[in-house]
Amino acid sequence: MSNTPFTVARTTPRFAFIAEAEIDGVKSSARVSELSARGCYIDSINPLPKDTGVRLRIRYGCSTCEFFGTVIYTHAGFGMGVVFSELSNEQRSTLDVWLEELARKLD
């Protein structure tokens, strides 16, 4: 077995991000714990299967935005990674505001 650590090349930075999430068709509670310009990680005890299409609402502070996406990986009992589908101008604007705020907090 190799001792080389596994690394993932990311095209966009990820930020720690805690926000409430609602996923259509899922009764259990969920929250977003990481956010990037391309997607998010959703903490959920019952993650959806890989390749499932999702519609989710993210509430952060005083703003809410709805996104469509696809589950790209799951961690049974913990959560799932979701890549966003094509974003409207309004969705992109909201996401950019959130990401800019997160980037400022790192400075």
Side-chain angles (χ1 to χ4, degrees):
M1 182 160 242
S2 172
N3 288 331
T4 305
F6 179 76
T7 59
V8 176
R10 303 220 183 266
T11 57
T12 58
R14 273 187 177 184
F15 297 94
F17 180 78
I18 304 301
E20 181 182 342
E22 280 182 40
I23 304 166
D24 280 4
V26 175
K27 300 279 186 208
S28 61
S29 64
R31 73 174 191 168
V32 178
S33 61
E34 291 183 334
L35 184 70
S36 80
R38 297 191 60 227
C40 63
Y41 188 83
I42 299 174
D43 296 330
S44 175
I45 294 171
N46 299 308
L48 297 169
K50 184 179 179 205
D51 298 323
T52 301
V54 294
R55 179 176 161 182
L56 65 125
R57 275 172 298 291
I58 300 173
R59 287 188 190 88
Y60 179 65
C62 295
S63 61
T64 299
C65 194
E66 188 170 288
F67 298 95
F68 294 91
T70 303
V71 177
I72 55 173
Y73 61 89
T74 64
H75 295 125
F78 293 99
M80 59 193 153
V82 173
V83 64
F84 298 135
S85 299
E86 193 162 328
L87 301 173
S88 69
N89 289 337
E90 184 178 336
Q91 291 167 319
R92 171 59 56 202
S93 177
T94 300
L95 187 57
D96 286 346
V97 167
W98 292 347
L99 292 170
E100 287 170 10
E101 179 181 331
L102 296 169
R104 275 194 313 270
K105 288 180 180 179
L106 292 178
D107 291 339

